[in-house]
Amino acid sequence: MSKLDIQLVEPVISFRGGPREAIGCFLRGDLIIHLQKPTKVKCIELKFMGREKIGFSEGTCPIRNAGAIREERELISNTWTFLDPIPTKLTASATRFHLLRKSNPKSMQSRLLPAGKHTYPFEIFLPGNLPETIKTDHVHVEYTLEGKLMTNGVFPCRKIKKHIEVVRTIPDHLNSQGVATAREITDTFAYEISLPKLAYPIGQTAPLDIKISPLSKHFVLHGIKVEIHEKCVYHIRGRDVTSNNIVLSEALPIFDKTILSEDGTDGFFYGRTLPLKLPKFSSLVHPSCDTSTLTITHQMKIVFIVSAPILATHKMQIKVNMNVKMLSCKCMDDHDVALPNYDEDSCYCPLDPVYQRMAHLVLGDVDVDLDDAPPDYEKAIAEERIPSEETRA
């Protein structure tokens, strides 16, 4: 009985920087064959393959008259032959069966390998412009290693297949800069929002720090809600097909007034660091990516529900938008804090070795829902003290 195994030096392939900046890295490992007894072996091969598949059914394809779309392309391919097959010499009487025998594995000569462990190292350089591993409803990028052992006997061919995760990161010093934004809203209140890092893996907890300073004694904070929106743009046949989804919607706990001397109206402000639990890896949320076929972006919306009775009789929603990037759940931060383990096998995040997933976060704009706002707010918009209006659906 023979057994195949593939052991990798780096279980996750990590590119640093975008497709134009990343220099690439090596995929290295060993194909290991365990033989319980001396075995006649015909061929030992290992193949590395990267493929991108695009699929839209006739009912889901938004391109008019396009019908169903099924496309597949090879991204990279390489084959290692550790034991070459030796064709059997053909006699003159078997010449007419040459083509049949040439394509038949039984026509290959065997080599006797002793019992025990046989190790075959392999190495290949992967260019940094390869797309990351991704799986959405319509685009699937995957990388695999497939080992093959051909022997004599009833079951002459044994195979092993291993999926390779490819991700993209940014340098640590960029990620550790964090992100912060602050603004004053029409003499009513001021806010400060900050995150200690620029990007977080799927399933991790992000410490969101929020501080609200009332600038009017009539200001009332009714609540805060956080949403994360995912936008997928498929670049198909010269067209951009877009889909949007809300992957997280969470109401934050009510803030307590923190007393501070000589800070804010009546000497208090609302402040708290909130552990925001990011969504787990599933079919509803994917890592951010930017390839020639698919672009996935994420936007975090912090919604303040406020009122100022002297200015308006109804509650208003002040929205702060920040562009974020979600990273693969198979990563950890730079303080060796373990990610949670998930019940599903597909959600398991390996703890060793540690790979950091960082990405760039760009500050967004602020939107104000002014359906019931007083004239003072419209004047402030005209003076560019508040960003333009966004009508809430």
Side-chain angles (χ1 to χ4, degrees):
M1 185 68 177
S2 56
K3 180 181 178 182
L4 280 70
D5 189 20
I6 297 176
Q7 295 184 358
L8 300 176
V9 177
E10 300 87 3
V12 177
I13 301 300
S14 178
F15 294 145
R16 284 189 171 271
R20 290 177 294 275
E21 300 85 38
I23 60 175
C25 57
F26 282 92
L27 171 65
R28 299 172 293 179
D30 297 311
L31 173 64
I32 301 175
I33 299 177
H34 301 271
L35 300 178
Q36 293 184 355
K37 61 181 181 180
T39 305
K40 291 183 178 181
V41 177
K42 296 180 178 180
C43 180
I44 300 176
E45 288 185 351
L46 179 68
K47 186 173 184 178
F48 175 70
M49 178 72 71
R51 289 190 174 277
E52 180 182 61
K53 299 178 182 179
I54 303 172
F56 284 88
S57 63
E58 188 171 356
T60 62
C61 183
I63 301 178
R64 181 177 299 179
N65 299 325
I69 296 178
R70 293 287 184 272
E71 297 179 2
E72 182 174 342
R73 69 185 181 103
E74 182 179 285
L75 301 173
I76 188 172
S77 178
N78 189 75
T79 301
W80 297 270
T81 302
F82 302 112
L83 187 61
D84 293 324
I86 304 177
T88 302
K89 294 182 179 180
L90 300 178
T91 62
S93 61
T95 302
R96 61 175 177 164
F97 301 107
H98 172 69
L99 294 177
L100 177 62
R101 292 175 61 85
K102 185 177 181 180
S103 61
N104 190 346
K106 295 182 179 180
S107 67
M108 300 178 185
Q109 291 183 358
S110 302
R111 302 178 186 180
L112 184 64
L113 294 185
K117 178 181 177 181
H118 300 265
T119 301
Y120 302 93
F122 62 88
E123 179 180 277
I124 183 175
F125 179 78
L126 305 182
N129 59 356
L130 285 174
E132 305 93 304
T133 301
I134 194 71
K135 185 176 183 180
T136 70
D137 292 338
H138 305 294
V139 172
H140 187 191
V141 176
E142 69 171 359
Y143 298 89
T144 58
L145 279 168
E146 184 173 300
K148 181 173 68 173
L149 171 66
M150 295 184 63
T151 64
N152 292 333
V154 180
F155 303 102
C157 185
R158 299 183 183 275
K159 295 182 179 181
I160 183 174
K161 190 173 184 179
K162 192 178 188 69
H163 292 272
I164 308 300
E165 187 83 8
V166 177
V167 297
R168 197 172 297 279
T169 70
I170 62 173
D172 301 352
H173 70 276
L174 295 178
N175 187 56
S176 61
Q177 293 177 2
V179 61
T181 181
R183 186 165 294 186
E184 180 179 316
I185 305 297
T186 319
D187 299 329
T188 303
F189 77 102
Y191 67 80
E192 299 176 16
I193 305 174
S194 63
L195 285 167
K197 293 185 179 297
L198 300 178
Y200 293 88
I202 293 171
Q204 200 179 54
T205 298
L208 181 64
D209 186 74
I210 299 178
K211 177 182 177 181
I212 300 175
S213 300
L215 302 179
S216 168
K217 62 182 180 180
H218 303 288
F219 171 80
V220 179
L221 175 64
H222 298 278
I224 300 178
K225 184 172 68 173
V226 176
E227 296 179 347
I228 295 182
H229 294 240
E230 180 177 278
K231 180 180 180 181
C232 298
V233 181
Y234 300 93
H235 314 293
I236 308 296
R237 297 183 179 179
R239 297 276 301 277
D240 287 345
V241 179
T242 303
S243 66
N244 295 278
N245 188 32
I246 298 177
V247 297
L248 175 69
S249 180
E250 181 177 345
L252 302 183
I254 299 298
F255 278 29
D256 296 327
K257 294 180 180 179
T258 302
I259 303 300
L260 274 187
S261 60
E262 299 181 359
D263 183 21
T265 303
D266 297 333
F268 71 87
F269 74 95
Y270 298 87
R272 193 169 183 178
T273 298
L274 302 164
L276 182 63
K277 183 68 174 180
L278 300 177
K280 293 183 179 181
F281 185 83
S282 68
S283 60
L284 298 179
V285 58
H286 310 87
S288 304
C289 71
D290 187 9
T291 72
S292 60
T293 304
L294 174 65
T295 300
I296 299 179
T297 57
H298 296 88
Q299 187 176 71
M300 179 182 293
K301 292 180 177 287
I302 297 93
V303 183
F304 298 110
I305 304 173
V306 302
S307 68
I310 196 173
L311 299 175
T313 58
H314 300 287
K315 298 177 183 178
M316 294 175 292
Q317 295 186 352
I318 310 298
K319 306 174 188 177
V320 181
N321 302 330
M322 296 193 300
N323 295 324
V324 299
K325 284 194 176 181
M326 306 293 291
L327 307 172
S328 171
C329 70
K330 296 182 179 181
C331 58
M332 300 171 61
D333 62 25
D334 52 0
H335 298 292
D336 294 340
V337 179
L339 293 178
N341 292 327
Y342 306 133
D343 295 335
E344 299 83 8
D345 292 340
S346 62
C347 298
Y348 176 70
C349 302
L351 303 181
D352 185 28
V354 178
Y355 286 91
Q356 302 173 5
R357 306 288 180 263
M358 282 75 67
H360 184 61
L361 178 65
V362 181
L363 285 178
D365 296 325
V366 177
D367 297 324
V368 184
D369 193 333
L370 298 176
D371 291 339
D372 300 308
D376 288 354
Y377 280 86
E378 297 178 355
K379 180 180 179 182
I381 291 176
E383 296 174 353
E384 296 185 350
R385 297 170 61 189
I386 300 180
S388 59
E389 174 180 346
E390 172 183 317
T391 301
R392 190 169 177 82

